[in-house]
Amino acid sequence: MLEERRLAVLRAIVEDYVATHEPVGSKALVERHNLGVSPATIRNDMAALEEEGFIAQPHTSAGRVPTDLGYRLFVDRLSGVKPLSAPERRAIHQFLDDAVDLDDVMSRTVRLLAQITRQVALVQYPSFTRSTIRHVELVSLSATRVILVVIVDTGRVEQRIIDCPAALPEATLADLRSRLIVALAGKGFADVPDAVEDLEEAFAADDRPLVRAIVSAVLETARERHDERVVLGGTAHLARYGEAFPISIQPVLEALEEQVVLLRLLGETTNLQGVTVRIGHENPVEGLESTSVITAQYARSDHPVASLGIVGPTHMDYPGTMSAVHAVARYVSRILDEQ
Amino acid sequence: MLEERRLAVLRAIVEDYVATHEPVGSKALVERHNLGVSPATIRNDMAALEEEGFIAQPHTSAGRVPTDLGYRLFVDRLSGVKPLSAPERRAIHQFLDDAVDLDDVMSRTVRLLAQITRQVALVQYPSFTRSTIRHVELVSLSATRVILVVIVDTGRVEQRIIDCPAALPEATLADLRSRLIVALAGKGFADVPDAVEDLEEAFAADDRPLVRAIVSAVLETARERHDERVVLGGTAHLARYGEAFPISIQPVLEALEEQVVLLRLLGETTNLQGVTVRIGHENPVEGLESTSVITAQYARSDHPVASLGIVGPTHMDYPGTMSAVHAVARYVSRILDEQ
DNA sequence: TCTTGGCACTCCGCCTCCGTGAGTGCCAAG
DNA sequence: CTTGGCACTCACGGAGGCGGAGTGCCAAGA
């Protein structure tokens, strides 16, 4: 009961601070939320909460501001699920249903997510490594150049141009193509090395260097996490918080320019009801200490294939943003299944 | 002689303002540049320059700041070419020589350009419409689904999945594939409609709906300026100018999110020694009134295929940035020719 | 043991005021 | 046309002075 009110106070502080971006005091708190006690009582609770590290004062005789720990507790135990508004649902449908191909789905998703959350949005392309190969094609461009095309069940297509060490007979190419298809179709990317291992032996000694060149290109395509492509959108939202943003937005923009960083943000997804929240210093990335990242995985045929999410200031509307991210991820999964 | 000194004064004002980002006064001017006359004389020149609209005062009794018109005159008549420094040249080589494929060239170029100019960089993918088709491939995924792959001489590969109205016999597909290759190889995209026009007639009536579906996909690929893809980098540089940036960076970030806007910026390239400069209000885009855009075309086999460039505040180092953009464009052309 | 009103205290934010100095325009003399 | 002199303007920065929001503590009441 005592403990309970303290949590209610923390919740109220988070909600008010997110709404106003200003330190919140005891008096304002009892006025806006009917807590049924006096400001003095609240002050006692606040002192306790501060002692425990959930809130802090920017300076003496100012109101309180939630700490990262405070937001964490809020997200874990205090925030209910805020259902999306009807217009938001409609926006999701309208936006994504018109997508014509995978590129389109990805770019529409990132714009959609940025728009409804009013934050920076990240969307990762379906991962190769978690997908299966649908088809492999070899097309000769010239005597010594071949283009390798790999088609994956999520709709992704990856190509790579191969320079052969010597002229490549059409017959050999045709043979290799059909063998590759047999060896790889339906396989996951992790299985590629095993699948192509013995391929070379089926060919005459003369052809082997050529075959080897092509096989190694296939292997590289599988190994190289070329797949891990992330699209970014809504960076303009960062500039919305003039001085209100804890620090300069420059380090944030810099961090977001690095594909590696984006992957790291989306990568480590520990599932909490499908949505992961990383708050402030919990982020594994330098420059994003004063931002929170909310991500969710999306799936194809119930197998997770990649993640999407948003980056925003720690003082964001967690319930609303979490359900938006969740909803978009689910809807993207549905779109992928339809195709 | 009189006219000449006035221009020298304008040049000095632009140079000082670009260096300091602070309004420049008559006294500081004679101190830093040896103009051989007294501040009072400079003041007369300044009054004349202001009258003509080349400079302005932020407020009474402040120094002068160049106007868009002033920068324009500076760029057109006053700025010499500033050669790149050795480290910059080296950076260009190191950065771009390692590129393995077109995607890699594009992403390296945008990072390079952002790094050496310290501005936001834009790089457009080689345009389909200005390229010729090297190869066309049709691969069946299932009975009714085919993937169309178009390979272009700049190294770009575009694919599209086609849903056929009925099952597609392998023989028909093979026939169509070879006819398409004959009809399209070596053609420019503008010629595609003519080239495929009569294709349908070679097939049996039963097959025609299928053929038509595929041909129209080919046409769409050619028509749709899907090609016009632009990559963006270095947005963090926008945040460098804290309050120094004329206005908020938000509208700039917003404008740069729109692919259409990026294309417009890169599109209208009126050649001035290979480099185009658009200053402040000369920009055809809302939100970029206080930025300048510097672009250059790059080529493959001496035919321009696309543009690249940078966006920065109007008070930028024009000579240095122009030669950087120019140099990178030329080097990208060279890389494309090598492949 | 918890709650509450009272009270003194702190300190940020904001306003005003004023001095300083950089910069200007004008003018008359060279 | 150039130059030094001069009066004028105005942004900027620091000092000072409130006002008010917010706190912590305490003693009394439930």
Side-chain angles (χ1 to χ4, degrees):
Chain A
M1 147 113 193
L2 174 148
E3 185 66 12
E4 212 164 289
R5 195 191 53 223
R6 265 194 208 161
L7 293 180
V9 169
L10 177 58
R11 175 197 281 125
I13 291 175
V14 170
E15 285 172 1
D16 276 20
Y17 185 63
V18 164
T20 65
H21 294 180
E22 275 170 14
V24 15
S26 53
K27 196 178 149 203
L29 221 48
V30 291
E31 278 170 7
R32 297 184 35 131
H33 311 255
N34 35 5
L35 295 166
V37 289
S38 81
T41 311
I42 299 297
R43 282 205 286 281
N44 290 331
D45 291 338
M46 284 171 138
L49 285 168
E50 182 161 18
E51 178 72 21
E52 296 170 284
F54 296 120
I55 56 179
Q57 306 188 56
H59 54 83
T60 335
S61 90
R64 301 308 213 289
V65 165
T67 60
D68 290 354
L69 205 61
Y71 287 121
R72 168 52 60 199
L73 186 62
F74 176 82
V75 167
D76 287 348
R77 297 188 42 197
L78 302 176
S79 71
V81 176
K82 188 199 278 182
L84 291 188
S85 70
E88 282 170 334
R89 299 208 160 277
R90 226 178 305 129
I92 295 181
H93 289 228
Q94 281 181 354
F95 232 80
L96 295 187
D97 280 345
D98 293 346
V100 298
D101 63 7
L102 186 69
D103 281 334
D104 205 22
V105 171
M106 295 293 111
S107 82
R108 279 168 182 267
T109 303
V110 76
R111 270 180 292 162
L112 172 69
L113 200 52
Q115 190 194 311
I116 62 180
T117 63
R118 307 190 23 113
Q119 308 286 5
V120 179
L122 311 175
V123 179
Q124 182 183 16
Y125 267 64
S127 167
F128 261 22
T129 42
R130 290 187 246 173
S131 316
T132 58
I133 295 172
R134 199 192 265 170
H135 191 86
V136 180
E137 189 64 21
L138 288 172
V139 180
S140 70
L141 295 176
S142 66
T144 63
R145 305 188 97 191
V146 175
I147 185 158
L148 166 71
V149 180
V150 180
I151 302 163
V152 174
D153 63 354
T154 44
R156 276 189 72 169
V157 179
E158 204 74 6
Q159 79 276 337
R160 164 185 293 265
I161 293 173
I162 306 169
D163 274 308
C164 298
L168 190 65
E170 191 60 45
T172 314
L173 188 68
D175 190 12
L176 184 55
R177 176 197 292 134
S178 53
R179 282 177 195 276
L180 272 177
I181 293 173
V182 170
L184 296 176
K187 292 275 176 28
F189 264 72
D191 305 327
V192 169
D194 284 346
V196 298
E197 199 178 6
D198 304 330
L199 216 57
E200 198 180 305
E201 290 165 20
F203 291 84
D206 284 356
D207 290 334
R208 288 197 184 169
L210 301 174
V211 172
R212 205 173 297 144
I214 288 173
V215 166
S216 71
V218 173
L219 281 172
E220 256 182 68
T221 306
R223 203 176 332 109
E224 220 183 53
R225 329 218 328 180
H226 195 28
D227 48 343
E228 313 287 12
R229 197 174 138 206
V230 180
V231 284
L232 185 70
T235 48
H237 291 304
L238 282 180
R240 238 189 321 135
Y241 319 88
E243 302 302 292
F245 206 90
I247 48 164
S248 154
I249 65 171
Q250 185 170 5
V252 180
L253 279 173
E254 270 167 16
L256 295 179
E257 291 241 327
E258 302 283 337
Q259 284 279 320
V260 194
V261 167
L262 301 185
L263 287 169
R264 197 125 55 93
L265 289 179
L266 289 172
E268 305 160 18
T269 301
T270 54
N271 258 0
L272 159 71
Q273 303 161 352
V275 180
T276 306
V277 181
R278 250 181 269 106
I279 297 167
H281 294 85
E282 297 171 11
N283 275 309
V285 177
E286 203 175 337
L288 298 186
E289 298 85 2
S290 53
T291 63
S292 288
V293 180
I294 300 182
T295 59
Q297 292 190 321
Y298 64 88
R300 178 184 167 89
S301 323
D302 293 328
H303 297 297
V305 288
S307 298
L308 51 77
I310 63 94
V311 178
T314 48
H315 49 75
M316 69 167 74
D317 167 21
Y318 289 94
T321 311
M322 285 168 70
S323 45
V325 170
H326 184 64
V328 170
R330 253 199 355 214
Y331 207 77
V332 170
S333 303
R334 218 172 90 191
I335 299 273
L336 285 184
D337 280 342
E338 281 171 11
Q339 293 194 334
Chain B
M1 146 116 190
L2 174 146
E3 184 66 13
E4 213 165 288
R5 195 192 53 224
R6 266 194 208 162
L7 293 180
V9 169
L10 177 58
R11 177 196 280 124
I13 291 175
V14 170
E15 284 172 0
D16 276 20
Y17 185 63
V18 164
T20 65
H21 294 181
E22 273 170 16
V24 16
S26 53
K27 197 179 149 204
L29 221 48
V30 291
E31 277 169 10
R32 298 184 33 132
H33 308 77
N34 35 7
L35 294 166
V37 290
S38 80
T41 312
I42 300 297
R43 281 206 286 282
N44 290 331
D45 291 337
M46 284 172 136
L49 285 168
E50 181 161 18
E51 179 72 21
E52 295 170 285
F54 296 120
I55 56 179
Q57 307 188 56
H59 55 83
T60 335
S61 91
R64 301 308 213 289
V65 165
T67 61
D68 290 355
L69 205 61
Y71 287 121
R72 168 53 61 200
L73 185 61
F74 176 81
V75 168
D76 287 348
R77 298 187 42 196
L78 303 176
S79 73
V81 177
K82 187 199 278 182
L84 291 190
S85 70
E88 282 170 335
R89 297 208 161 278
R90 227 178 305 129
I92 294 181
H93 289 228
Q94 281 180 355
F95 231 81
L96 295 188
D97 279 345
D98 293 346
V100 298
D101 63 7
L102 186 69
D103 281 334
D104 206 22
V105 172
M106 296 292 110
S107 82
R108 279 168 182 267
T109 304
V110 75
R111 270 180 292 162
L112 173 70
L113 200 51
Q115 190 194 312
I116 62 180
T117 64
R118 307 188 25 113
Q119 308 286 5
V120 180
L122 311 176
V123 179
Q124 182 182 16
Y125 267 64
S127 167
F128 261 21
T129 41
R130 289 187 247 173
S131 316
T132 57
I133 295 172
R134 199 193 265 170
H135 191 85
V136 179
E137 189 65 21
L138 288 172
V139 180
S140 70
L141 296 176
S142 67
T144 63
R145 305 188 98 190
V146 175
I147 185 160
L148 166 71
V149 180
V150 180
I151 302 164
V152 174
D153 63 355
T154 44
R156 277 189 72 168
V157 180
E158 204 74 5
Q159 80 275 338
R160 164 184 294 263
I161 293 173
I162 305 168
D163 273 308
C164 298
L168 190 65
E170 191 59 43
T172 313
L173 189 67
D175 190 14
L176 184 55
R177 175 197 292 135
S178 53
R179 283 178 195 275
L180 273 178
I181 293 174
V182 170
L184 295 177
K187 292 276 177 24
F189 264 72
D191 306 327
V192 169
D194 284 346
V196 298
E197 199 178 9
D198 303 331
L199 216 57
E200 198 180 307
E201 291 164 17
F203 291 83
D206 283 358
D207 290 334
R208 290 198 183 168
L210 301 175
V211 173
R212 204 173 296 145
I214 289 173
V215 166
S216 71
V218 173
L219 281 171
E220 253 181 70
T221 307
R223 202 176 331 110
E224 221 183 52
R225 327 217 330 181
H226 195 26
D227 49 344
E228 313 286 11
R229 197 174 137 207
V230 181
V231 285
L232 184 70
T235 47
H237 291 304
L238 283 180
R240 238 189 321 135
Y241 319 87
E243 303 301 292
F245 206 90
I247 47 165
S248 154
I249 64 170
Q250 186 170 5
V252 180
L253 279 173
E254 270 167 15
L256 295 179
E257 291 241 329
E258 303 282 338
Q259 284 279 321
V260 195
V261 167
L262 301 185
L263 288 170
R264 196 125 55 94
L265 289 180
L266 289 172
E268 305 162 17
T269 301
T270 54
N271 258 1
L272 159 70
Q273 302 160 352
V275 180
T276 306
V277 181
R278 250 180 269 106
I279 297 166
H281 293 86
E282 296 170 13
N283 276 308
V285 176
E286 204 174 338
L288 298 186
E289 298 86 2
S290 53
T291 64
S292 289
V293 180
I294 299 182
T295 59
Q297 293 191 320
Y298 63 89
R300 178 184 168 89
S301 324
D302 294 328
H303 297 296
V305 287
S307 299
L308 51 77
I310 63 94
V311 178
T314 47
H315 49 75
M316 69 166 76
D317 167 21
Y318 289 95
T321 312
M322 286 168 70
S323 44
V325 170
H326 184 64
V328 171
R330 253 202 350 216
Y331 207 77
V332 170
S333 303
R334 219 172 90 192
I335 298 273
L336 285 185
D337 281 341
E338 281 170 13
Q339 293 195 334

